[in-house]
Amino acid sequence: GLVFVHTESSRYSLPCSPIEMDVADPTYRWVQDGAAPKLFSVTKEGHLLFQRFQAGDSGKYSCTVSYMRHGIPVSQMFHYSILGYHVLGGLDTVLLFHSKLCKDEWTKRFLRGLQDKLRQLEMEQHCKLQLNATFCFPSLNNPWDEFIVQVQLEVSLFGPHWDEHCHSQDMETLTDCYRRTVQHNLGQVQLALTRFFKEHKSFPITGVDTSSINFTNEFVGFLKTKQCSGGYGQTKQLLRCLDCCIVCPPGTFSPPKNSQCSPCPIGTYSLTYGVEFCTPCKDGMITRVSGASSMTDCVKTERTKQVVSIAHRIPVLLLIILPVLLALNLIFILSSCYWFYQEYQVSSARASKMTGSTTRMETVTGFFRIPRQGPQAGRRASDTSDLDSRASQVGAEEPTHGAPSPAVTSNLGAVTDETIPVLTLEDRKDNF
């Protein structure tokens, strides 16, 4: 059958046989399936004893009872699935301390001293006090010379002998007793912590160099919680207590204060009961499905092998590719510089050639006194024929040896009409 045992139970016994057996001189043997062989605490009557039951004690158990019947050895085996659980109830405490320093070394030393002072309170109240988170920040009143150290103290009500008043063998009655005990202890622990920090306002911490720093308590706040412990979830398997937290089986996990058991993600597994976080597979191995409960579920797929092979080759590929890339970049830079240099040389040659052509053109124009053609060149083109006829008439009437040839006269007359009077006057002077 299915058996539920509360976490941190002071003393729980499970009989080997679910029914009373009237046999002579029986012997009992308990084993836990899938676990390494170990010694169990077994009573004379064959009951399996659990002292301070833990989540890891959950699992499948078998009990074999052997005896003699009519001179013939007889044995019977009984199987149990034992699951840990706990009722809801807890306390979160926030503590604020003023200090002149905000250094990890001094803060850790202070927390160790505070934890030691709380040990006596744990034994008196049958609880567990765990310092979880610590923060340090400047004080608002004096941010330069004073700091506030915030400490989160988690209170678990399932300490040693917390259930010493619950002895019933009836499951429903026992669960009700656990609930009443938790509620009673919750109020008692809160009063005890309040009284403790009123009596201990200052916590002096002495350093190696004999200097001393005081951590002064200024605030204590309490918050009652109803969340599952790490490795437990509300699976509703215990019908008598649907809001109780049941231990997560192998292949699942539950972080602290999550209250749900979730399957281990692909690539992870969990071997035992009550796991807060799953274990990752090694050497790049993965699991084919989620919820793996054995290390053998981690396998190397073909894709994983390819990824691992490529990952191993990446350093070698980088050593080969990087020099090539650097060489290509260097060639590109040098070719770019050469190309720009060639373009600059060609541009300079073109500029100097155009400058020389312009200079020669200006010299010829100045020699022949030929002005640059303007926008009116088109309009004066019609006068060219008149100039040609006049020049031909003058040449025919007054031929001289110094007169220019008709070709020259025609060319000069075709350039502009402003040169006609000058050439005509010079020709006339030569004729006279």
Side-chain angles (χ1 to χ4, degrees):
L2 193 60
V3 180
F4 294 91
V5 183
H6 200 288
T7 302
E8 295 288 345
S9 294
S10 299
R11 186 180 179 87
Y12 184 87
S13 62
L14 179 66
C16 178
S17 172
I19 58 175
E20 190 71 25
M21 298 181 64
D22 188 12
V23 294
D25 300 325
T27 58
Y28 304 94
R29 180 174 177 268
W30 284 89
V31 295
Q32 184 179 4
D33 297 349
K38 59 181 179 180
L39 295 177
F40 293 97
S41 179
V42 181
T43 65
K44 182 180 179 181
E45 296 79 12
H47 292 201
L48 178 64
L49 292 180
F50 291 105
Q51 299 283 352
R52 299 185 61 182
F53 186 87
Q54 303 296 318
D57 294 329
S58 302
K60 295 181 178 181
Y61 290 79
S62 299
C63 177
T64 303
V65 54
S66 302
Y67 55 92
M68 300 294 293
R69 176 182 291 177
H70 307 298
I72 300 174
V74 179
S75 63
Q76 291 184 350
M77 182 178 291
F78 303 92
H79 303 279
Y80 299 94
S81 291
I82 303 177
L83 298 177
Y85 81 101
H86 71 80
V87 297
L88 292 175
L91 195 66
D92 280 345
T93 308
V94 177
L95 309 172
L96 297 181
F97 297 88
H98 285 233
S99 174
K100 294 295 182 181
L101 289 177
C102 191
K103 295 182 178 180
D104 290 341
E105 179 184 355
W106 288 89
T107 302
K108 290 179 180 179
R109 193 175 301 172
F110 157 67
L111 293 177
R112 286 195 296 267
L114 177 61
Q115 189 77 62
D116 292 339
K117 291 182 180 295
L118 292 173
R119 297 297 181 194
Q120 183 64 30
L121 187 63
E122 285 182 324
M123 292 185 292
E124 294 174 356
Q125 299 298 322
H126 309 292
C127 64
K128 292 181 181 179
L129 303 176
Q130 181 65 41
L131 301 174
N132 283 338
T134 305
F135 306 95
C136 185
F137 48 89
S139 172
L140 294 178
N141 297 329
N142 191 1
W144 302 107
D145 298 327
E146 189 176 47
F147 298 91
I148 295 178
V149 179
Q150 177 180 325
V151 180
Q152 183 176 350
L153 180 65
E154 183 178 347
V155 180
S156 173
L157 302 175
F158 310 120
H161 307 291
W162 72 278
D163 61 340
E164 58 185 1
H165 301 293
C166 299
H167 303 292
S168 175
Q169 295 297 320
D170 179 65
M171 185 66 188
E172 187 172 357
T173 304
L174 193 60
T175 303
D176 291 339
C177 181
Y178 289 154
R179 282 175 168 168
R180 291 193 301 268
T181 302
V182 166
Q183 294 301 318
H184 176 267
N185 292 350
L186 190 63
Q188 293 299 314
V189 170
Q190 186 171 342
L191 291 175
L193 284 173
T194 303
R195 183 171 58 251
F196 174 84
F197 286 107
K198 282 184 178 180
E199 296 174 355
H200 300 81
K201 293 291 295 184
S202 181
F203 295 85
I205 304 300
T206 304
V208 179
D209 54 355
T210 68
S211 61
S212 179
I213 299 295
N214 283 330
F215 288 81
T216 306
N217 175 246
E218 295 292 337
F219 174 79
V220 180
F222 298 96
L223 177 64
K224 295 181 180 180
T225 61
K226 286 192 174 183
Q227 295 174 324
C228 296
S229 302
Y232 288 79
Q234 291 178 321
T235 59
K236 303 185 184 301
Q237 290 175 277
L238 184 56
L239 299 180
R240 300 183 184 89
C241 183
L242 294 178
D243 61 339
C244 287
C245 300
I246 312 300
V247 67
C248 297
T252 62
F253 75 105
S254 177
K257 300 181 180 180
N258 195 336
S259 299
Q260 293 295 331
C261 295
S262 304
C264 289
I266 293 178
T268 63
Y269 63 93
S270 63
L271 300 175
T272 59
Y273 289 81
V275 173
E276 296 183 6
F277 300 98
C278 298
T279 304
C281 295
K282 297 181 179 180
D283 300 329
M285 304 175 72
I286 62 172
T287 56
R288 299 185 184 277
V289 294
S290 59
S293 58
S294 174
M295 189 183 300
T296 58
D297 294 330
C298 296
V299 295
K300 281 189 176 182
T301 62
E302 292 299 326
R303 185 176 179 181
T304 305
K305 293 178 181 178
Q306 293 175 1
V307 171
V308 173
S309 177
I310 293 173
H312 286 301
R313 293 176 183 176
I314 284 176
V316 180
L317 292 175
L318 288 177
L319 292 177
I320 297 174
I321 293 174
L322 282 178
V324 176
L325 292 177
L326 292 175
L328 291 176
N329 287 333
L330 181 61
I331 293 172
F332 175 76
I333 293 172
L334 293 177
S335 61
S336 299
C337 293
Y338 178 76
W339 182 78
F340 282 118
Y341 175 75
Q342 290 293 328
E343 286 291 322
Y344 176 77
Q345 291 292 334
V346 172
S347 300
S348 300
R350 288 177 180 174
S352 61
K353 185 176 181 180
M354 291 178 64
T355 304
S357 300
T358 304
T359 304
R360 290 195 298 271
M361 197 68 179
E362 290 177 353
T363 303
V364 172
T365 305
F367 177 78
F368 291 104
R369 304 179 187 177
I370 301 174
R372 295 179 180 274
Q373 291 186 1
Q376 298 179 353
R379 182 178 59 83
R380 294 172 181 171
S382 61
D383 298 336
T384 306
S385 60
D386 296 338
L387 294 175
D388 291 340
S389 61
R390 296 165 83 184
S392 61
Q393 291 175 2
V394 173
E397 294 177 354
E398 299 175 356
T400 59
H401 297 284
S405 64
V408 174
T409 304
S410 177
N411 290 337
L412 293 175
V415 176
T416 178
D417 57 354
E418 295 179 359
T419 61
I420 295 171
V422 177
L423 294 176
T424 305
L425 288 174
E426 290 178 353
D427 290 340
R428 290 181 178 178
K429 288 179 181 179
D430 292 337
N431 292 331
F432 287 109

